[in-house]
Amino acid sequence: MGDAVQLEVAGRTVRLTSPDRVFFPERGFTKLDVARYYAAVGPGILRALRNRPTTLERHPEGVTGEWFFQKRAPRNMPDWIPTARIAFPSGRTADEMCPTEEAAVVWAAQYGTLTFHPWPVRRDDVDHPDELRIDLDPQPGTDYEDAARAANELRAVLDAHGLRGWPKTSGGRGLHVFVPIEARWSFTEVRRAAIAVGREMERRMPERVTVKWWKEERGERVFLDYNQTARDRTVASAYSVRPHPHAPVSAPLRWEEVAVARPRDFDLATMPARFAELGDVHADMDDHAFSLEPLLELARRDERDHGLGDLPYPPEHPAMPGEPRRVQPSRARKPKPPAS
């Protein structure tokens, strides 16, 4: 696999073993290519990960081999990478790595990390998200273009409530829109705000957008996955490499690019050149922190005026107060007809 190499990354030396191991056979990209990619976009991905507890999606043998999520910080992690203790819905805890330097990302790449999944919190306050993350997930029969149309309407919804979002490709067919918020609200409240956004989107685009949790109810629409805001749910960070054969990356976009972008245009080979030319197009995101109160008021109005309360949580979560039954509609027991 070739001799180990030393990479200089923002003042630190990172040792990379087996640099010639092929991670993406379809494109021929190696482990060294992945590490060099992360060094090239270092300031951008560090902005997305800085001080955030981060789960590592590791593919030690490349995209055709076994892979796993690593939530607990690796035991051999250098002491210059800090950690934060996070609590799962089960009540268990774990210490997760919190990158504070570009070299931490390249160090993780040495161990086969392709995708970084940061929590929407910072290590100094792990119970109050500072980002509202909206995941637009195209369902069968829809594609990126449908997500792009939904994203532009989402932009109008956010603007109407005094908010601004920063869009990026998911690395697949979908789009993510991140809204920086004040770290004042709980995971439950942030999730409630995401549901309110989704319902407003349904009202505006009933044939194109849904918040239906059960797949059998979604139809050929874009699913606004409100549960990505639940505790211990994360999405791929900006600039993360995704484990698909063509080596796509999750690409930050400017709003004017959303309608014309094509996810396959952003990959391990093309993103470094884009970054060198444009820099991090989301660089100003941390300069803002919006209030979630307008969306929470929308949620209260939905419940008061329309009887729209909570929606189902993911299956691994304990039952939550006010949550409807987690029963797939086609399997729910039908009420018995009245006796004649």
Side-chain angles (χ1 to χ4, degrees):
M1 290 294 177
D3 296 334
V5 299
Q6 307 280 350
L7 297 179
E8 297 299 319
V9 185
R12 290 199 184 272
T13 301
V14 179
R15 185 171 184 266
L16 198 76
T17 60
S18 303
D20 298 331
R21 176 172 291 151
V22 176
F23 271 18
F24 292 90
E26 184 176 293
R27 304 287 302 277
F29 293 135
T30 65
K31 182 179 179 180
L32 180 58
D33 291 325
V34 172
R36 284 175 171 165
Y37 163 79
Y38 278 126
V41 300
I45 192 165
L46 181 60
R47 188 268 311 155
L49 300 178
R50 184 182 285 111
N51 282 317
R52 297 191 182 280
T54 300
T55 298
L56 308 179
E57 184 179 334
R58 292 178 56 186
H59 297 253
E61 303 300 322
V63 295
T64 58
E66 298 291 328
W67 65 278
F68 58 95
F69 289 108
Q70 179 149 4
K71 295 189 176 185
R72 287 171 171 77
R75 292 181 180 177
N76 61 343
M77 193 171 72
D79 58 11
W80 50 267
I81 302 177
T83 63
R85 179 155 296 178
I86 48 89
F88 302 115
S90 65
R92 294 181 298 107
T93 61
D95 294 328
E96 289 204 348
M97 73 176 290
C98 299
T100 56
E101 301 182 36
E102 295 170 33
V105 180
V106 179
W107 176 86
Q110 146 66 12
Y111 294 95
T113 302
L114 294 183
T115 307
F116 295 83
H117 296 265
W119 281 49
V121 299
R122 309 281 183 171
R123 65 189 173 105
D124 58 351
D125 185 355
V126 296
D127 291 317
H128 295 92
D130 68 347
E131 286 180 346
L132 168 65
R133 298 172 175 179
I134 301 171
D135 181 6
L136 298 171
D137 183 11
Q139 299 303 289
T142 65
D143 213 328
Y144 173 83
E145 290 75 11
D146 300 283
R149 281 190 287 270
N152 280 302
E153 188 62 39
L154 170 62
R155 185 184 186 187
V157 170
L158 295 175
D159 184 66
H161 292 85
L163 304 170
R164 177 184 167 195
W166 279 255
K168 69 181 185 71
T169 66
S170 67
R173 300 184 304 138
L175 280 163
H176 300 150
V177 178
F178 285 10
V179 180
I181 59 173
E182 299 167 6
R184 293 169 43 198
W185 294 278
S186 67
F187 279 92
T188 301
E189 291 169 312
V190 174
R191 179 179 172 276
R192 194 78 173 94
I195 291 172
V197 169
R199 284 174 168 153
E200 179 62 19
M201 290 288 291
E202 279 187 327
R203 286 188 283 266
R204 292 177 179 226
M205 307 179 76
E207 302 302 318
R208 293 185 179 276
V209 176
T210 182
V211 291
K212 297 292 187 184
W213 177 245
W214 303 105
K215 291 182 180 180
E216 65 187 34
E217 295 186 304
R218 294 176 191 170
E220 294 185 359
R221 290 178 287 184
V222 174
F223 172 49
L224 192 148
D225 189 354
Y226 60 88
N227 267 333
Q228 293 291 29
T229 55
R231 181 183 287 271
D232 194 29
R233 282 297 188 96
T234 57
V235 297
S237 77
Y239 301 101
S240 271
V241 179
R242 306 311 309 276
H244 303 306
H246 58 289
V249 303
S250 180
L253 301 175
R254 297 169 294 194
W255 274 110
E256 58 268 25
E257 296 179 294
V258 169
V260 297
R262 294 296 176 266
R264 289 186 70 96
D265 292 342
F266 308 106
D267 62 26
L268 205 62
T270 61
M271 181 55 79
R274 173 181 167 88
F275 192 86
E277 178 185 358
L278 300 178
D280 179 14
V281 299
H282 287 187
D284 64 332
M285 196 169 142
D286 287 346
D287 298 336
H288 302 269
F290 296 98
S291 172
L292 207 58
E293 193 54 39
L295 293 182
L296 293 175
E297 176 56 29
L298 177 61
R300 288 189 285 269
R301 290 201 306 270
D302 278 345
E303 187 160 16
R304 181 183 66 241
D305 300 340
H306 305 291
L308 298 173
D310 204 354
L311 291 172
Y313 271 78
E316 68 272 13
H317 275 246
M320 300 292 286
E323 178 191 3
R325 293 176 61 210
R326 295 180 202 172
V327 180
Q328 191 172 331
S330 61
R331 296 184 178 181
R333 288 186 177 181
K334 304 296 189 292
K336 293 182 179 180
S340 57

